[in-house]
Amino acid sequence: MATTAHILQGVQAVPLATTAALGGLSLLILLSLKRCLFAKKRTGYSKLPPVPAVPGVPVLGNLLQLKEKKPYMTFTKWAKTYGPIYSIKAGASTLVVLSTTEVAKEAMVTRYSSISTRKLSNALSTLTSDKCMVAMSDYNDFHKMVKRHILANVLGANAQKRHRCHRDTLGENVSKRFHAHVTDFPDEAVNFREIFESELFGIALKEALGKDIESVYVEELGAHLSREEVFKVLVIDMMEGAIEVDWRDFFPYLKWVPNKNIENKIKRMAFRRGVVMNALIKDQKKRIASGEELNCYIDYLLSEAKTLTEEQIGMLVWEAIIETSDTALVAAEWAMYEIAKDPKRQDRLYREIEDLCGSKKLSEDRLSQLPYLLAVFHETLRKHCPVPVIPLRYAHEDTQLGGYHIPAGTEIAINIYGCNMDENQWENPEEWNPERFLDEKFDPMDLYKTMTFGAGKRVCAGSLQAMLIVCTTIGRLVQEFQWRLKEGEEENVATIGLTTHKLHPMHAILKRRN
């Protein structure tokens, strides 16, 4: 602020300098207009509509407006005024925001070759070991190779068949734990997340490492870490770190300025994640050396992925753990919240399952015969998209989107939440209404009814697994219990940071069905 004051004082004291400055500014504006007109004449496309920044703070641009609310909600609100594609000023960067399905698909499919590169925050660059993940890597030979690996052993259709036993075990364990709660505490609300999150972490460990764990000794930390501590290091801390905001992300030319608090925090998280993964993989290498082989990701990578470094293998195995542990939890918890809040729709879902299964337990091979259950799943993903804004991309060459010229170097934000809440596509989008997906225009088994799983070459590789786990879980829980939200829970809809992850676990009163 002192520097600004001194500048203003100098301008007042030297009118000649003021005149020169204004003349230079005018020339700059004329040159900018000339460039814009030339670009429009040359490309045939117009300049993007901008969102006005907060008056008086041009250096910050729209950053203060984004800080006021959830960015994905602010993006969606602006789309109603400025259209499906517009630009905002975020510090030193210009960001193009896409908030409708049409322009998002154009970016993800038609113009993909021009904007396939990721733009990561400082925190994400560190936590992903500089894009050493399937989800965060640029679209290149490395991405294609590691995506083939994870589809072959974890997420592809054939891999899902081989891992069916783990999902069946998850369903049985979740059911038993809820029944035990009702027996021991019949009048007390149950914490849905506490039970489901633990079992989901178990299936993630089995798919990635072959076995669940009770603890692991980490030499670098000089301690045995419990299963709960491992979950915190590998999942909770990483999710918190991923949304950490570093002001230098918005002013790249000031990246040399230290920001030690955030830097050290993220480095500690990455270090602890690394040594814990090393300890877990070391134990599995001993198992493999003893002759015990299992159908899991680490066994596959050590056998088939000979060109990968140990660090890359550790990152890929960790990615399988965190992505299985987190996104399915978000979808399942919101689905049970909406079901518990809506007795009529809960009864409709129960009747559908009862008519099909009778006294037999619902299994995942019956999902295609349960259109309303699938509709509940897709409507929950539409309203509560687990990843509301995908990690930024940028145009590495001049391209066009939505009828506008996009120059090379422009950052692109695809607002999935905005696409799924677009009033031009969805009637009453704020309402949770599974019936909308029973329309004949929707194929019951199509996983891509909304933009939640993305589109094009970067479409989510875990969509099939998410559907199998979440649909079977909520189907079993509605089949076996009546759900009712704890008093005051209906208003408990706050979310964590930039995500749609519920801030507080969902609590509900359960009653066994006859």
Side-chain angles (χ1 to χ4, degrees):
M1 293 298 293
T3 302
T4 304
H6 293 155
I7 291 172
L8 291 175
Q9 291 171 4
V11 169
Q12 291 172 348
V14 189
L16 183 60
T18 302
T19 303
L22 288 174
L25 182 61
S26 300
L27 179 60
L28 204 60
I29 291 172
L30 286 172
L31 289 173
S32 297
L33 286 172
K34 183 178 179 182
R35 281 199 300 270
C36 290
L37 290 172
F38 176 73
K40 181 175 180 181
K41 181 179 180 181
R42 177 167 52 85
T43 64
Y45 289 88
S46 305
K47 186 180 178 182
L48 281 163
V51 174
V54 176
V57 282
V59 174
L60 295 182
N62 298 102
L63 291 179
L64 293 179
Q65 292 161 295
L66 292 176
K67 188 177 179 181
E68 293 171 2
K69 297 181 180 179
K70 302 287 183 181
Y72 54 89
M73 291 185 176
T74 304
F75 288 159
T76 304
K77 178 188 69 176
W78 285 341
K80 295 178 181 178
T81 303
Y82 303 102
I85 175 171
Y86 54 81
S87 64
I88 65 171
K89 193 71 175 175
S93 302
T94 297
L95 187 66
V96 171
V97 182
L98 316 179
S99 292
T100 65
T101 298
E102 184 179 358
V103 290
K105 284 187 175 179
E106 183 182 355
M108 292 177 167
V109 182
T110 310
R111 308 295 180 185
Y112 183 78
S113 61
S114 301
I115 59 168
S116 59
T117 307
R118 290 292 195 200
K119 186 76 171 180
L120 300 185
S121 65
N122 291 331
L124 278 177
S125 293
T126 299
L127 295 177
T128 65
S129 292
D130 195 19
K131 305 182 182 180
C132 186
M133 294 174 62
V134 179
M136 297 296 183
S137 58
D138 294 332
Y139 189 73
N140 51 27
D141 290 340
F142 174 80
H143 172 85
K144 294 173 186 177
M145 174 182 64
V146 293
K147 188 169 184 178
R148 282 198 303 270
H149 288 326
I150 199 167
L151 286 172
N153 187 260
V154 182
L155 299 176
N158 290 331
Q160 289 297 295
K161 292 176 183 177
R162 295 194 299 272
H163 290 302
R164 166 76 183 268
C165 59
H166 299 322
R167 295 192 299 278
D168 289 344
T169 300
L170 176 144
E172 288 301 315
N173 288 348
V174 168
S175 173
K176 288 177 182 177
R177 291 181 66 175
F178 279 114
H179 277 288
H181 174 89
V182 173
T183 299
D184 297 338
F185 311 102
D187 300 321
E188 292 186 17
V190 64
N191 182 331
F192 173 84
R193 185 185 303 175
E194 185 175 58
I195 292 176
F196 187 63
E197 185 176 66
S198 175
E199 295 300 329
L200 200 56
F201 185 51
I203 194 176
L205 292 172
K206 290 174 186 176
E207 289 183 348
L209 300 168
K211 296 181 179 181
D212 200 345
I213 62 166
E214 293 183 1
S215 65
V216 64
Y217 178 71
V218 183
E219 184 177 354
E220 293 85 349
L221 302 179
H224 279 91
L225 268 62
S226 68
R227 187 178 187 272
E228 291 72 22
E229 290 171 322
V230 171
F231 178 77
K232 184 177 186 303
V233 170
L234 298 186
V235 180
I236 296 177
D237 288 351
M238 295 297 99
M239 295 305 297
E240 291 179 358
I243 60 176
E244 190 72 57
V245 177
D246 184 342
W247 61 266
R248 295 173 304 175
D249 291 330
F250 305 103
F251 302 96
Y253 51 79
L254 296 178
K255 63 182 179 181
W256 56 271
V257 179
N259 191 0
K260 291 299 182 182
N261 286 339
I262 289 181
E263 283 181 7
N264 292 337
K265 177 181 178 180
I266 298 300
K267 286 179 180 178
R268 281 195 302 270
M269 289 179 173
F271 171 77
R272 287 174 64 83
R273 185 267 314 278
V275 297
V276 169
M277 285 305 306
N278 288 341
L280 291 170
I281 291 175
K282 183 179 179 180
D283 285 351
Q284 300 315 310
K285 286 182 176 179
K286 291 179 181 178
R287 167 182 58 77
I288 295 170
S290 72
E292 182 186 2
E293 296 183 2
L294 297 171
N295 172 33
C296 63
Y297 201 26
I298 184 61
D299 289 41
Y300 171 86
L301 289 176
L302 292 174
S303 173
E304 302 295 330
K306 300 296 187 181
T307 62
L308 295 177
T309 66
E310 288 191 5
E311 181 186 21
Q312 289 172 331
I313 288 176
M315 285 296 300
L316 294 173
V317 174
W318 167 73
E319 181 181 17
I321 293 172
I322 189 171
E323 291 180 358
T324 298
S325 299
D326 183 71
T327 52
L329 169 65
V330 175
E333 187 168 33
W334 278 118
M336 295 311 301
Y337 165 86
E338 297 286 3
I339 288 168
K341 187 177 73 171
D342 195 330
K344 290 184 179 179
R345 289 190 168 109
Q346 182 178 166
D347 287 343
R348 177 171 181 174
L349 177 58
Y350 171 71
R351 288 195 304 272
E352 179 183 72
I353 298 170
E354 183 73 5
D355 290 344
L356 177 67
C357 300
S359 59
K360 295 181 180 179
K361 295 177 181 178
L362 169 66
S363 58
E364 65 179 44
D365 54 322
R366 308 299 294 274
L367 294 180
S368 62
Q369 299 169 273
L370 296 166
Y372 196 67
L373 175 56
L374 294 171
V376 165
F377 171 69
H378 287 293
E379 177 65 351
T380 301
L381 289 181
R382 185 197 64 79
K383 186 179 177 185
H384 305 285
C385 180
V387 183
V389 180
I390 65 173
L392 297 183
R393 300 180 187 178
Y394 71 93
H396 50 79
E397 61 184 18
D398 287 357
T399 188
Q400 295 86 35
L401 283 175
Y404 294 98
H405 173 67
I406 308 296
T410 303
E411 295 182 49
I412 311 288
I414 302 177
N415 181 20
I416 300 296
Y417 174 86
C419 296
N420 290 340
M421 301 296 285
D422 182 6
E423 293 178 348
N424 295 318
Q425 183 177 4
W426 308 101
E427 184 179 355
N428 300 321
E430 295 290 340
E431 179 187 347
W432 187 76
N433 177 20
E435 285 77 6
R436 74 174 83 239
F437 287 105
L438 298 178
D439 192 294
E440 292 181 355
K441 68 181 179 181
F442 293 113
D443 178 354
M445 291 304 290
D446 178 14
L447 290 172
Y448 308 106
K449 297 180 178 69
T450 70
M451 289 299 296
T452 301
F453 292 125
K457 296 176 181 178
R458 294 298 292 254
V459 70
C460 178
S463 55
L464 175 59
Q465 175 169 273
M467 186 270 287
L468 293 173
I469 290 176
V470 175
C471 286
T472 306
T473 298
I474 62 180
R476 280 283 301 270
L477 294 179
V478 169
Q479 182 185 30
E480 298 175 23
F481 304 96
Q482 289 179 332
W483 290 73
R484 174 172 56 87
L485 289 177
K486 183 181 73 172
E487 185 177 352
E489 187 71 20
E490 187 169 340
E491 290 74 34
N492 191 4
V493 294
T495 56
I496 298 175
L498 309 177
T499 74
T500 56
H501 199 299
K502 246 178 146 289
L503 179 60
H504 303 291
M506 191 270 285
H507 288 78
I509 309 295
L510 273 60
K511 179 181 178 182
R512 284 195 186 94
R513 297 189 187 273
N514 294 328

